[in-house]
């Protein structure tokens, strides 16, 4: 049945004429799929009346699929509901998936939720835009809820409300998400995975997400480029996972680039950036929530990040932590950060701006308020570990509060560990194998390496007490040798303390050491060592004489070249008995 609505100048295809019946509690996915196919063939719109249409699990991953275009799915408002319903079978499931070939697709004026599902897992998403889809518009939608009232934050059907997933060779392009609400999404409201170009998210509202409401989470190569976040209204619940309301990031060399965030209001979390380039965060109102993470964080490979004209607040009720922090991570360091014309409010006892290994910093024309209880803090605290703090410009700021100084600067990094001047597969193998000689017959070589290491320790850790605690009391090679440019310098940072007293007990807020001192902790990492033999005790491996491997190794573990074991002809080891 076709009907022409001349006032709106479009042709409607009704799902009712293809067998869909709203509000009857039965699956409508087959009828809706037929309706979509008819609408694509006639270049028409699927016009959905008010009511609940049930989307059951199909043989594929998605209840509904769009892989052609153009087509529009139009509802009668939020009372038109596409509801994922039934057994998720503990597998991947999407309510609606837009696949390669989908183009010029519009979804508007309807709700998609998953309140009818059970037995689902984290890859259950309401909508997924998959590699190769382009020119997609979502407007005036409500996506969610993904959990019922009796389910805790993050414990509903499992996944994202809207997931954008492209690939380097098949990007998702030209997506507009406008005027929509994201309600109780179990993980992210909008997840930007990888391989994305020209994405705009504007005038959207986020409430009750179980993780970051807007979350760049690239799990594989594929650049994310030209993303605009405009006038978003985000309230992140205290029990949500993660640390930030918005995360912006790329994957390795594929940095997220040309990202803008303007006119947004963030409550309950700030912004985390990792592997980014050309990011502009301008004219936003950002307030920290739970957790000790920085309110604004810039890490690893990051260049040309600009914070302009924002109000950024870390209230006194939040855990102590930097308001803005830029630092290295995993051997990579951010290069340039501009902080200008902002209102910066630090209510906790930590630096307003903290940088480690940041090469260029400009702090200009800001109004800075420090009301933390610790007057020994520095407003701007910069340190060099992987990169020299060479270019720091602090001008025309208005600063209120009592602190030790406006700026503390540690400009030069420690000398790096020097390696032999050759690279490549065979050379690397030879270089590593030659180190073994120092642990055997060439004791003099080991002594020289020990002297070089202790000299580096002395340069990196000026405090004699801390340096003595870090000095090994055994010869090089008696324990596993680790190489690092930033391990020892970490102990010279002002916010790092080395405590070597034994732990007496775990308290409700942290630990109490043997000297009776209580230490408040956010996280306690248990480095309890490992049992080399224990892993084999838990596996019953029987040899040709009926003896188990655990019995054979009860007195001494022995192998032939670390690969084979006498009496176990079909057992081969990759890493020896360790």
């Amino acid at each position: 049945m076709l009907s022409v609505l001349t006032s709106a100048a479009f042709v409607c295809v009704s799902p009712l004429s293809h067998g869909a019946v709203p509000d009857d509690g039965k699956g409508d996915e087959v009828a809706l799929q037929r309706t979509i196919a008819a609408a694509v063939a006639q270049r028409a719109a699927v016009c959905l009346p008010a009511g609940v249409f049930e989307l059951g699990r199909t043989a594929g991953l998605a209840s509904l699929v769009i892989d052609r275009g153009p087509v529009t799915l139009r509802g009668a408002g939020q009372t038109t509901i596409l509801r994922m319903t039934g057994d998720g079978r503990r597998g991947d499931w999407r309510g609606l998936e837009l696949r390669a070939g989908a183009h010029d697709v519009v979804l508007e004026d309807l709700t998609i939720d998953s309140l009818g599902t059970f037995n689902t897992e984290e890859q259950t998403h309401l909508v997924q835009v998959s590699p190769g889809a382009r020119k997609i518009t979502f407007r005036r939608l409500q996506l969610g809820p993904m959990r019922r009232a009796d389910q805790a934050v993050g414990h509903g059907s499992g996944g994202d409300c809207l997931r954008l997933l492209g690939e380097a060779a098949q990007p998702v392009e030209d997506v507009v998400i406008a005027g929509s609400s994201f309600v109780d999404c179990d993980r992210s409201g909008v997840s930007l995975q990888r391989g994305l170009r020209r994405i705009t998210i504007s005038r959207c509202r986020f409430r009750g997400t179980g993780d970051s409401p807007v979350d760049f989470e690239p799990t594989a190569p594929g650049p994310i480029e030209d993303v605009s976040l405009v006038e978003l209204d985000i309230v992140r619940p205290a029990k949500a996972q993660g640390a930030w309301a918005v995360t912006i990031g790329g994957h390795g060399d594929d940095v997220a680039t040309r990202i803008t965030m303007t006119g947004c209001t963030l409550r309950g979390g700030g912004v985390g950036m990792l592997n980014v380039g050309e990011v502009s965060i301008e004219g936003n109102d950002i307030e920290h929530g739970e957790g000790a993470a920085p309110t604004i964080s810039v890490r690893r490979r990051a260049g040309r990040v600009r914070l302009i004209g924002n109000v950024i607040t870390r209230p006194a009720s939040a855990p102590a932590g930097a308001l803005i922090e830029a630092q290295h991570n995993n051997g990579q360091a951010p290069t340039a950060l501009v902080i200008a014309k902002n209102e910066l409010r630090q209510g906790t006892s930590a630096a307003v701006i903290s940088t480690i290994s940041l090469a260029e910093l400009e702090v200009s024309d800001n109004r800075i308020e420090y009301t933390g209880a610790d007057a020994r803090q520095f407003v701007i605290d910069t340190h060099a570990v992987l990169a020299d703090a060479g270019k720091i410009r602090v001008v025309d700021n208005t600063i209120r509060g009592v602190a030790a100084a406006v700026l503390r600067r540690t400009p030069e990094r420690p000398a790096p560990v020097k390696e032999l001047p050759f690279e490549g597969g065979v050379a690397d193998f030879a270089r590593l194998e030659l180190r073994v000689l120092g642990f055997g017959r060439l004791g003099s070589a080991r002594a020289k390496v020990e002297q070089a290491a202790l000299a580096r320790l002395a340069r990196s850790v000026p405090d004699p007490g801390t340096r003595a605690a870090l000095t090994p009391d055994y010869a090089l090679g008696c324990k596993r040798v680790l190489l690092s440019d930033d391990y020892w310098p970490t102990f010279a940072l002002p916010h790092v303390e080395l405590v070597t007293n034994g732990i007496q007990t775990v308290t409700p807020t942290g630990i109490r050491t043997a000297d009776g001192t209580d230490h408040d902790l956010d996280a306690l990492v248990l480095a309890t060592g490992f049992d080399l033999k224990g892993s084999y005790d838990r596996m019953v491996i029987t040899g040709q004489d009926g003896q188990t491997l655990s019995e054979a190794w009860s007195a001494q573990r022995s192998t032939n070249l670390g690969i084979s074991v006498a009496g176990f002809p079909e057992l081969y080891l990759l890493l020896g008995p360790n």
Side-chain angles (χ1 to χ4, degrees):
M1 180 179 71
L2 298 180
S3 60
V4 179
L5 304 181
T6 57
S7 61
F10 61 83
V11 176
C12 270
V13 178
S14 171
L16 305 185
S17 63
H18 289 271
V21 180
D23 301 317
D24 67 345
K26 298 179 181 180
D28 297 296
E29 63 278 357
V30 174
L32 289 174
Q33 191 67 63
R34 285 198 298 260
T35 308
I36 292 171
V40 170
Q42 301 172 52
R43 302 180 68 86
V46 175
C47 295
L48 296 135
V52 177
F53 294 86
E54 311 282 349
L55 303 180
R57 177 77 185 264
T58 64
L61 296 180
S63 298
L64 298 177
V65 173
I66 298 176
D67 56 9
R68 290 174 289 171
V71 68
T72 295
L73 271 65
R74 177 179 290 114
Q78 292 185 1
T79 55
T80 298
I81 301 172
L82 303 182
R83 175 162 293 161
M84 296 173 68
T85 302
D87 187 352
R89 307 171 198 165
R90 286 291 171 189
D92 294 0
W93 186 9
R94 297 89 169 90
L96 169 65
E97 183 172 359
L98 286 75
R99 295 178 179 169
H103 66 89
D104 298 285
V105 176
V106 178
L107 270 71
E108 60 185 9
D109 299 314
L110 55 86
T111 295
I112 304 176
D113 69 36
S114 58
L115 291 179
T117 62
F118 63 93
N119 198 27
T120 56
E121 54 89 60
E122 66 175 359
Q123 294 302 324
T124 299
H125 310 296
L126 298 183
V127 180
Q128 176 165 305
V129 183
S130 294
R134 58 188 178 87
K135 296 184 179 180
I136 312 297
T137 300
F138 303 93
R139 58 188 176 218
R140 299 185 301 276
L141 300 181
Q142 176 176 307
L143 295 181
M146 295 187 73
R147 61 177 181 272
R148 301 183 302 274
D150 62 332
Q151 294 176 311
V153 173
H155 290 78
S157 52
D160 306 317
C161 277
L162 174 57
R163 187 182 194 221
L164 307 181
L165 173 63
E167 298 290 355
Q170 273 193 309
V172 168
E173 299 178 311
D174 301 301
V175 176
V176 175
I177 306 162
S180 297
S181 295
F182 295 80
V183 180
D184 293 345
C185 304
D186 219 32
R187 289 199 321 191
S188 304
V190 180
S191 171
L192 297 97
Q193 290 275 326
R194 61 181 179 267
L196 307 175
R197 296 176 182 165
R198 298 180 297 278
I199 311 297
T200 299
I201 309 173
S202 67
R203 302 185 309 280
C204 291
R205 183 176 183 270
F206 297 81
R207 295 291 188 273
T209 52
D211 206 323
S212 298
V214 178
D215 192 7
F216 288 52
E217 46 177 348
T219 53
I224 301 177
E225 303 172 341
D226 300 296
V227 178
S228 298
L229 311 177
V230 183
E231 297 181 17
L232 305 183
D233 177 7
I234 297 177
V235 177
R236 180 174 173 272
K239 295 183 180 180
Q241 299 180 49
W244 297 287
V246 175
T247 66
I248 302 171
H251 184 280
D253 293 335
D254 287 336
V255 298
T257 189
R258 297 186 298 279
I259 314 298
T260 62
M261 175 176 152
T262 57
C264 300
T265 300
L266 276 56
R267 294 291 181 266
V271 181
M273 289 171 271
L274 179 76
N275 289 336
V276 299
E278 294 186 52
V279 175
S280 178
I281 297 178
E282 186 168 353
N284 305 281
D285 187 350
I286 301 170
E287 183 173 306
H288 189 85
E290 301 289 327
T295 307
I296 305 293
S297 174
V298 183
R299 293 200 173 194
R300 202 178 293 176
R301 184 181 285 117
R304 301 179 299 281
V305 176
R306 302 168 72 248
L307 305 176
I308 310 293
N310 304 283
V311 177
I312 306 174
T313 305
R314 193 179 187 101
S317 58
L323 187 69
I324 301 171
E325 180 182 86
Q327 72 170 49
H328 65 266
N329 178 267
N330 199 28
Q332 299 288 339
T335 56
L337 174 62
V338 175
I339 305 171
K341 299 181 180 180
N342 302 281
E343 186 169 337
L344 306 179
R345 304 168 179 170
Q346 171 61 292
T348 73
S349 295
V352 179
I353 300 168
S354 173
T355 73
I356 304 175
S357 306
L358 177 68
E360 298 182 23
L361 172 66
E362 177 183 329
V363 183
S364 62
D365 199 22
N366 300 281
R367 289 195 298 170
I368 301 175
E369 181 177 296
Y370 173 73
T371 57
D374 188 354
R376 298 170 298 175
Q377 295 292 331
F378 297 86
V379 176
I380 304 170
D381 202 0
T382 68
H383 295 271
V385 175
L386 293 187
D388 297 339
K391 297 180 181 179
I392 298 178
R393 182 172 180 264
V394 181
V395 296
D396 297 330
N397 299 284
T398 302
I399 302 174
R400 296 179 55 191
V402 179
V406 172
L407 173 65
R408 175 168 63 176
R409 179 180 180 185
T410 307
E412 296 181 356
R413 59 181 171 142
V417 175
K418 293 183 178 180
E419 294 288 356
L420 296 178
F422 46 71
E423 297 180 354
V426 175
D428 281 347
F429 179 80
R431 173 170 54 82
L432 294 171
E433 289 299 301
L434 285 172
R435 291 175 180 169
V436 177
L437 298 177
F439 303 138
R441 297 177 180 178
L442 295 181
S444 59
R446 181 181 68 242
K448 290 182 179 180
V449 176
E450 287 179 350
Q451 292 172 5
L454 293 175
R456 177 176 171 79
L457 173 60
R459 292 193 305 270
S460 302
V461 183
D463 179 69
T466 304
R467 187 167 62 249
L470 291 169
T471 301
D473 58 1
Y474 49 85
L476 180 72
C478 290
K479 295 186 179 181
R480 190 181 299 272
V481 179
L482 302 177
L483 300 180
S484 173
D485 281 343
D486 55 8
Y487 174 70
W488 279 333
T490 298
F491 292 96
L493 298 177
H495 59 283
V496 175
E497 179 184 5
L498 176 62
V499 177
T500 58
N501 295 314
I503 298 175
Q504 183 183 81
T505 186
V506 177
T507 68
T509 60
I511 60 170
R512 181 175 299 122
T513 50
D515 61 356
T517 303
D518 286 331
H519 302 269
D520 291 340
L521 302 177
D522 291 317
L524 178 61
V525 180
L526 303 177
T528 56
F530 50 90
D531 179 5
L532 296 180
K533 177 173 168 289
S535 60
Y536 294 99
D537 284 341
R538 291 186 289 273
M539 296 184 292
V540 179
I541 302 174
T542 304
Q544 60 185 5
D545 297 327
Q547 187 181 38
T548 67
L549 183 63
S550 178
E551 293 169 344
W553 281 358
S554 60
Q556 180 181 2
R557 293 183 297 276
S558 63
T559 65
N560 178 33
L561 300 178
I563 298 174
S564 58
V565 182
F568 296 81
E570 296 182 354
L571 174 64
Y572 298 94
L573 309 175
L574 294 178
L575 298 174
N578 294 329

